[in-house]
Amino acid sequence: MRLTAGQLEITDPESEVLFRPIDVFFDSLATELREKSIGIVLSGTGTDGALGLKAIKACGGLTLAQGTTSTAPQYPEMPAGAIATGSVDLVTPVEEMPAHLMRLCGAKAPPGPPSVDETERLRLEICTALRNKLGHDFSGYRSQTFWRRVERRMQVLGCPSFSAYVEALNRSSEEATLLFRDLLIRVTRFFRDSETFAALESKVIPLLFSDKHADSNVRVWVPGCATGEEAYSLAILIREYVDRINAPPKVQIFATDIDDSAISVARLGRYPASLVEGISPARLARFFTHSHGGYVVSKEIRNLCTFSMHNLVRDPPFSMMSLVSCRNLLIYMNNEMQARIIPIFHYALVPDGVLLLGSAESAMHHTDLFTTLDKAARIFQRRHGRGPAPGVTWNRNLTSYSMPQPQAAQPDAHPGREPTMNREARDVPLDGVADVSARRQRFEHLLGALDASPASISALQAALSGVLDEHGSLAEQYQTALEELRSANEELHSVNEEMQSTNEELETSKEELQSVNEELHTVNIRLTDKIAELDRSNSDLRNLFDSTEIATVFLDRHLIIRSFTPAIATLYNLIPSDQGRPLTDIVNRVAYGQLRDDVATVLATLEPLERRVTRTDTAMHYIMRILPYRDPDSTVSGVLVTFIDVTSIVQAEDALKAADVRKDVFLATLSHELRNPLAPIRTAAQVLVSPKLSPEDLVRVQAIISRQVTHMSALLDDLLDVSRITRGSFLLKKAYVSVDEIFDEAVEAAQPVIDRRKHTLRVDKPSPPITLEADRVRMTQVLTNLLTNAAKYTPTGGLISAGARVDGTSLLFYVRDNGVGLAPEARARVFEMFTQVESQIGRSEGGLGIGLALSKGLIELHGGRIEVRSDGAGKGSEFIVYLPSTVIVDARGQDSAATDASAPARRVLIVEDHPDGAEMMRVLLSHAGHHVEVCNSSASALELARKLRPAVAVIDIGMPELDGYQIAQKIRSEAWGNGITLVAVTGWGSPEDKGRALAAGFDFHMTKPVDPHALKDIDSRPAG
């Protein structure tokens, strides 16, 4: 929607991308109504309307935005974007806007000044007030624009006359600032006038960099830069060009303005989204960073630009510039001011330097200073040769120059930036000859009608003669003045040459300072890198100390604390404020009093020292090391004390020592326990060869041998069982078994020991009977161990009680005695391997000290636990077994009928390389009625098996040449071998060994020493 010729016009948008209908409407409103336009921005999202308000402000209209002093906008983005442009006259709550509008719209236009002199007087008073309050003079401002801005402020304040406004201006510094802001119209944006920037990119920038090297400079000056958009636009173009060339020269862009707030915005380089619309997406992505709803100029562009306060006329100009871009500044100045500014630009530029002006500005009236490069884009090039000194009005038709006329005040050069009217050409004729008629008409106009009488002519001739004499005198005075001026001019030329020489020296000094500055910058970068490296190293060390948890403290030669790690808190009560205090003053928990002496020793010998120390409560053990602390120059200025926690190592050492002691005890006990049965066996072997051996003695000898062998086998079985339990390879053979049967078998096994020591045994079986799902043999073994231990460690004639009952969620077995009892320390280790209670009563019965450890492992395999209770030494003991109630099952009928019928006679082949073992098995099986053949070699075993075709073959796994597995595989490979029952005999009894035997073709697996009854009952057992 637009306002055209007083009518609203609705059209389709040219592009849907970033279409801003409010900006379009405001722009058309400003163009159509000029100073009568009013723009108001209320609550809304985005930044639409911000650029439109700038257009209304530039045309002298009134702009308002909703403020937050009362009712805050629901969506503050649009008002905030408008306020950020600096083009809002009133920021007020929406409730107060109607009153402001009624006041402003109802106010009459201020009456114009009564006369030209009055106008000039008031203008100078206003300029004087601005100069006194702000230090800036606007006497050179274009009058028409100046009064339009003043009248606008008068309407806002409601001043009825110019005199009233002058009084208000003198009273209020704030009003002076507001008028100052109105006179400095901030109408600028990035890449404004795209055709001009296209000409810069294609023509000017390549010209600036031609014949430039890496040690050259390209300097750009942007006077009247406002909020910096134009300076940054030039910097982006130059940056893009520099990236395409090799060894680019150094680029410096100086952007100046008299508005400190605008300079602050420019230095910050942060703009709302509405002000970056003229930038292409590629440039926006590369040279800007999106931040908090706006955009920030990248560092590489900001580093090219230097922003500073500078008055174009009052302050010394810049020099040696390759490009001066002063667009839309001269249009706000009167002709005299423009005539003074153009030579300043000529002075600032290097030969062939480029001047860029606004679309309504031109340097074509100064053709002796500039030539035109691009008329449409207003691009001019500096001519060679010396120009007029800055501040001198140049007259292009004279060979000399004249000083400017005195003025009431020296005007500033930055009064505005936006064209509001066409340039008024000033063409004053300086020389020429008028004809006589023209002269006569001029004099007649001044003196009236001339009298041509002789008297009149004579009077005129006399007067003319006096005038000629006076003219001659004036001519002489003029010649004298001219000579004085020439002398002064020569002096000025001399001073100028001296100034140029001084300037060259200053330039040389500046280059040297720049070189020094670059070196300092390089050193600063190196120092920054070193600091960063030190920070990383310190961070690495801090993380290393924290991760290793090594208690460390740094001391000087006098034991003063320099630093420490957090882990030291376990030994010394240190806090950060303790740095600088002696370590000996700090409370510690280390059982160590030789620190001072040991530190003195290390400082004297410069050799590390190591000690083992403990904490005062002996709960922790440490290796303490004291090392010399060396400075970078290798001098020793203190010591480094570390405490390494070795508690786990000490505990492991103690455990190893204890285990070593138990091992020695076990080996001694094992030797003793094995020698005890071996002695009667050896004696019995000698008795058996005696020819005088009676049948009765033979029976007794055989019984002794059988009993001792059984005892030795039980010892070895216990050791193997403990080993399997420890490795986790022990398998229970669970079946349904009655608790009564377990007690009966256990009592039967332990009865000989109980009877021998004349103990009384009381068994309390559960009622009703209980059936378990458990390993019958192992449960019997546990109760047997407990009953046997009770009998062994109870004095003769003692009382032993045993029983079982259901207690809550557990099935409880107990064995209680009134024997030697257990001390508290003994109860803690009674279930450890090779542990035996020190008692003469128990020691007399022997044993390896593994029965309780084995019992504990077997009960835990059943999911239960075992514990011991005792009131102390001499007060008896009670061992309690807890099994989970899940092992209890309903009683089930079991076929317990045992058959004692003898199996029919069978042909048996024994393959064993140990002659004694083979002979004993032959005698045993022969007495059972079988026909037995013995073979001691692998080769003959296969041949004998092929010949005899035995029903049963008992084969030792560890045969030479072919082992038992290979013999079984060869037998099974024959047709006649499939019907033979193969029995593997070996010293290895793990489940893996059994599985390997069955996989090789064996039907049974037996572990040495072989149970004779199991061997005789081989036909009645299931395979496995």
Side-chain angles (χ1 to χ4, degrees):
M1 184 171 63
R2 303 172 184 268
L3 183 66
T4 305
Q7 295 181 348
L8 288 177
E9 180 181 2
I10 298 177
T11 60
D12 294 330
E14 298 177 359
S15 173
E16 295 293 338
V17 180
L18 294 177
F19 176 59
R20 296 180 175 272
I22 302 176
D23 284 336
V24 172
F25 176 70
F26 279 175
D27 185 70
S28 67
L29 184 70
T31 303
E32 186 73 14
L33 300 180
R34 309 296 295 174
E35 64 273 2
K36 295 182 180 180
S37 59
I38 299 176
I40 301 175
V41 174
L42 301 179
S43 171
T45 59
T47 56
D48 193 11
L51 295 179
L53 283 189
K54 292 185 70 173
I56 293 176
K57 176 84 169 181
C59 293
L62 180 65
T63 57
L64 294 87
Q66 182 178 354
T68 60
T69 57
S70 178
T71 303
Q74 183 178 2
Y75 303 102
E77 289 88 346
M78 283 180 60
I83 295 170
T85 64
S87 302
V88 177
D89 293 313
L90 287 175
V91 179
T92 179
V94 69
E95 296 88 349
E96 300 177 9
M97 284 186 180
H100 286 293
L101 290 174
M102 293 295 294
R103 177 177 60 81
L104 294 174
C105 294
K108 297 181 180 180
S115 64
V116 175
D117 294 339
E118 182 69 10
T119 299
E120 184 65 17
R121 183 187 66 79
L122 291 173
R123 189 177 71 87
L124 291 178
E125 285 186 11
I126 294 173
C127 291
T128 301
L130 290 175
R131 185 181 65 239
N132 293 337
K133 292 182 178 295
L134 302 178
H136 298 294
D137 184 12
F138 286 86
S139 60
Y141 205 95
R142 188 181 294 274
S143 296
Q144 184 177 357
T145 307
F146 180 86
W147 285 116
R148 187 165 60 248
R149 301 302 177 192
V150 172
E151 290 173 358
R152 187 173 174 281
R153 291 304 308 164
M154 290 174 63
Q155 286 183 337
V156 173
L157 294 179
C159 294
S161 65
F162 286 97
S163 300
Y165 180 72
V166 172
E167 293 178 1
L169 185 64
N170 288 324
R171 286 195 309 267
S172 173
S173 298
E174 181 180 359
E175 177 57 28
T177 302
L178 292 175
L179 178 59
F180 174 72
R181 296 279 186 260
D182 267 11
L183 292 172
L184 299 179
I185 304 173
R186 297 183 186 177
V187 181
T188 181
R189 63 176 182 268
F190 288 97
F191 295 96
R192 185 182 184 189
D193 300 329
S194 58
E195 297 82 2
T196 300
F197 278 93
L200 282 174
E201 185 175 11
S202 60
K203 298 179 181 180
V204 176
I205 293 181
L207 180 64
L208 299 181
F209 285 86
S210 62
D211 300 328
K212 292 291 193 299
H213 307 287
D215 55 351
S216 305
N217 288 323
V218 172
R219 294 158 58 87
V220 179
W221 182 21
V222 185
C225 67
T227 50
E229 288 91 332
E230 177 143 343
Y232 285 133
S233 300
L234 290 173
I236 290 173
L237 288 182
I238 293 174
R239 178 77 263 177
E240 290 176 340
Y241 186 82
V242 165
D243 290 343
R244 298 194 297 268
I245 62 177
N246 297 323
K250 182 179 179 180
V251 177
Q252 292 177 295
I253 299 177
F254 301 93
T256 62
D257 202 284
I258 62 173
D259 187 357
D260 55 348
S261 63
I263 290 294
S264 299
V265 173
R267 286 170 178 163
L268 188 61
R270 181 184 297 273
Y271 301 95
S274 61
L275 298 185
V276 297
E277 293 181 359
I279 305 174
S280 65
R283 285 172 174 166
L284 192 64
R286 177 182 174 186
F287 300 112
F288 291 82
T289 302
H290 190 270
S291 174
H292 302 290
Y295 290 87
V296 179
V297 181
S298 65
K299 187 176 181 180
E300 65 171 330
I301 297 300
R302 280 186 290 158
N303 287 343
L304 295 177
C305 301
T306 301
F307 294 93
S308 65
M309 296 280 293
H310 181 270
N311 191 304
L312 184 58
V313 174
R314 185 185 63 196
D315 297 330
F318 288 80
S319 62
M320 304 301 290
M321 292 293 156
S322 304
L323 170 65
V324 174
S325 175
C326 182
R327 299 207 303 153
N328 304 318
L329 173 63
L330 298 181
I331 58 173
Y332 294 102
M333 301 179 182
N334 56 30
N335 295 333
E336 291 78 10
M337 182 65 68
Q338 292 183 22
R340 294 181 58 196
I341 296 299
I342 296 298
I344 292 177
F345 292 155
H346 184 273
Y347 172 83
L349 288 167
V350 297
D352 295 326
V354 177
L355 172 65
L356 175 63
L357 299 177
S359 58
E361 302 164 342
S362 176
M364 288 187 292
H365 294 290
H366 299 271
T367 55
D368 45 358
L369 299 180
F370 292 95
T371 61
T372 303
L373 281 182
D374 191 321
K375 183 177 180 180
R378 294 296 192 271
I379 301 175
F380 306 92
Q381 189 172 30
R382 181 189 187 276
R383 289 183 180 274
H384 288 264
R386 183 186 301 274
V392 177
T393 303
W394 176 260
N395 191 325
R396 61 186 180 277
N397 292 326
L398 297 178
T399 58
S400 63
Y401 58 87
S402 59
M403 297 300 293
Q405 295 297 323
Q407 296 184 4
Q410 184 73 2
D412 283 349
H414 296 174
R417 304 172 184 83
E418 173 67 11
T420 58
M421 61 181 64
N422 295 329
R423 175 182 175 91
E424 298 177 1
R426 182 183 182 190
D427 190 6
V428 180
L430 301 177
D431 200 2
V433 179
D435 56 12
V436 174
S437 176
R439 294 181 182 179
R440 179 176 180 178
Q441 292 177 358
R442 182 187 306 173
F443 284 111
E444 286 181 350
H445 174 72
L446 295 174
L447 304 176
L450 298 177
D451 186 5
S453 63
S456 298
I457 293 174
S458 177
L460 288 175
Q461 287 178 345
L464 180 60
S465 177
V467 170
L468 290 177
D469 291 339
E470 185 178 355
H471 179 268
S473 176
L474 290 175
E476 292 177 358
Q477 294 178 7
Y478 170 76
Q479 187 66 29
T480 302
L482 182 61
E483 291 177 356
E484 292 177 355
L485 287 174
R486 287 176 178 172
S487 177
N489 185 37
E490 291 176 358
E491 292 178 359
L492 287 175
H493 278 294
S494 177
V495 171
N496 186 41
E497 290 176 357
E498 293 177 0
M499 293 295 293
Q500 287 181 346
S501 176
T502 303
N503 185 50
E504 291 175 357
E505 294 176 358
L506 290 175
E507 287 290 337
T508 303
S509 300
K510 180 182 178 182
E511 292 176 357
E512 294 176 355
L513 289 174
Q514 287 178 342
S515 177
V516 172
N517 184 49
E518 290 175 357
E519 293 177 1
L520 291 175
H521 182 67
T522 302
V523 172
N524 184 46
I525 292 175
R526 292 179 180 176
L527 289 176
T528 302
D529 293 339
K530 291 295 183 182
I531 292 173
E533 292 178 5
L534 288 175
D535 289 340
R536 287 193 297 269
S537 299
N538 289 333
S539 179
D540 292 342
L541 288 175
R542 184 173 60 256
N543 284 277
L544 175 63
F545 288 147
D546 293 343
S547 63
T548 55
E549 297 184 355
I550 297 177
T552 306
V553 60
F554 300 85
L555 306 175
D556 67 2
R557 288 180 169 271
H558 305 289
L559 303 185
I560 302 299
I561 300 171
R562 289 178 170 177
S563 182
F564 55 87
T565 61
I568 199 68
T570 59
L571 297 172
Y572 287 86
N573 295 330
L574 290 176
I575 57 177
S577 60
D578 288 330
Q579 292 185 7
R581 295 180 59 192
L583 184 63
T584 53
D585 292 351
I586 305 300
V587 177
N588 65 82
R589 293 185 290 274
V590 185
Y592 170 62
Q594 300 174 318
L595 178 62
R596 186 180 297 277
D597 296 337
D598 288 343
V599 168
T601 301
V602 170
L603 292 175
T605 61
L606 300 182
E607 294 293 333
L609 185 146
E610 183 174 301
R611 293 187 186 278
R612 176 179 288 188
V613 298
T614 61
R615 213 162 64 179
T616 52
D617 57 3
T618 69
M620 303 292 287
H621 299 264
Y622 299 90
I623 293 293
M624 185 198 69
R625 293 194 180 100
I626 304 177
L627 299 92
Y629 184 92
R630 300 183 184 275
D631 290 330
D633 58 357
S634 296
T635 59
V636 176
S637 61
V639 294
L640 172 68
V641 183
T642 61
F643 296 87
I644 302 175
D645 187 359
V646 294
T647 304
S648 59
I649 298 176
V650 173
Q651 292 174 346
E653 289 178 351
D654 294 342
L656 288 175
K657 291 177 181 178
D660 192 54
V661 171
R662 291 198 301 270
K663 179 197 70 174
D664 293 341
V665 173
F666 164 71
L667 291 177
T669 304
L670 179 62
S671 175
H672 177 268
E673 293 297 325
L674 290 178
R675 289 179 183 275
N676 283 340
L678 285 176
I681 291 175
R682 183 173 184 179
T683 303
Q686 294 176 354
V687 171
L688 287 175
V689 300
S690 173
K692 298 179 180 181
L693 184 64
S694 63
E696 294 80 4
D697 292 337
L698 177 60
V699 172
R700 285 197 298 273
V701 169
Q702 290 175 342
I704 291 173
I705 293 175
S706 176
R707 186 165 57 252
Q708 297 302 324
V709 169
T710 300
H711 178 64
M712 293 178 63
S713 178
L715 290 176
L716 295 175
D717 286 342
D718 287 347
L719 286 173
L720 292 174
D721 288 344
V722 171
S723 176
R724 293 191 191 104
I725 292 174
T726 303
R727 297 199 313 270
S729 61
F730 192 93
L731 296 178
L732 296 176
K733 297 179 181 179
K734 293 185 177 181
Y736 297 116
V737 57
S738 170
V739 173
D740 293 353
E741 294 175 356
I742 294 174
F743 269 111
D744 291 342
E745 294 177 4
V747 170
E748 181 181 356
Q751 195 66 51
V753 180
I754 294 173
D755 293 342
R756 187 168 62 252
R757 300 191 64 85
K758 299 178 181 180
H759 296 315
T760 299
L761 175 62
R762 296 176 181 174
V763 179
D764 183 14
K765 297 179 181 179
S767 179
I770 297 175
T771 302
L772 308 179
E773 184 181 7
D775 190 323
R776 175 174 184 164
V777 174
R778 299 306 177 183
M779 288 301 300
T780 302
Q781 183 178 358
V782 170
L783 287 179
T784 301
N785 282 338
L786 296 180
L787 290 171
T788 301
N789 279 348
K792 288 167 55 177
Y793 290 96
T794 300
T796 302
L799 175 62
I800 300 174
S801 301
R805 66 176 183 273
V806 177
D807 184 13
T809 60
S810 301
L811 174 62
L812 183 148
F813 292 84
Y814 66 89
V815 175
R816 188 182 306 118
D817 63 64
N818 58 353
V820 297
L822 292 170
E825 63 273 10
R827 291 200 303 270
R829 56 187 180 85
V830 69
F831 292 106
E832 295 179 0
M833 285 284 291
F834 318 130
T835 299
Q836 290 182 314
V837 177
E838 295 297 331
S839 172
Q840 294 298 326
I841 299 175
R843 179 60 61 190
S844 63
E845 295 294 332
L848 297 177
I850 62 175
L852 289 177
L854 176 60
S855 298
K856 179 175 180 293
L858 292 173
I859 293 303
E860 289 175 351
L861 288 175
H862 280 84
R865 72 181 192 279
I866 185 171
E867 65 181 36
V868 61
R869 299 175 182 174
S870 177
D871 293 334
K875 296 183 179 180
S877 303
E878 182 181 16
F879 287 84
I880 304 174
V881 174
Y882 296 91
L883 293 178
S885 59
T886 55
V887 303
I888 303 175
V889 296
D890 295 334
R892 304 189 182 194
Q894 300 292 329
D895 185 9
S896 58
T899 176
D900 293 331
S902 300
R906 308 289 293 275
R907 186 182 298 277
V908 179
L909 174 63
I910 297 175
V911 181
E912 172 66 70
D913 62 339
H914 193 278
D916 292 341
E919 182 61 22
M920 291 305 298
M921 281 192 288
R922 186 193 67 77
V923 172
L924 178 64
L925 294 175
S926 295
H927 282 282
H930 299 292
H931 304 289
V932 183
E933 295 289 340
V934 177
C935 178
N936 301 119
S937 68
S938 302
S940 58
L942 290 173
E943 185 63 29
L944 192 58
R946 185 178 294 106
K947 179 179 179 181
L948 296 177
R949 309 288 176 88
V952 178
V954 181
I955 304 173
D956 180 23
I957 294 298
M959 293 292 293
E961 299 178 2
L962 296 177
D963 59 25
Y965 300 122
Q966 294 172 318
I967 295 174
Q969 291 171 351
K970 288 183 178 295
I971 291 176
R972 292 300 190 200
S973 66
E974 301 289 343
W976 51 265
N978 291 329
I980 299 177
T981 299
L982 299 183
V983 180
V985 179
T986 177
W988 305 100
S990 68
E992 292 81 2
D993 297 322
K994 181 178 180 181
R996 183 180 178 187
L998 297 177
F1002 285 101
D1003 297 295
F1004 297 94
H1005 179 275
M1006 294 186 177
T1007 305
K1008 293 181 181 180
V1010 177
D1011 185 358
H1013 298 288
L1015 188 60
K1016 287 193 297 181
D1017 297 340
I1018 210 105
D1019 288 339
S1020 61
R1021 295 177 58 192

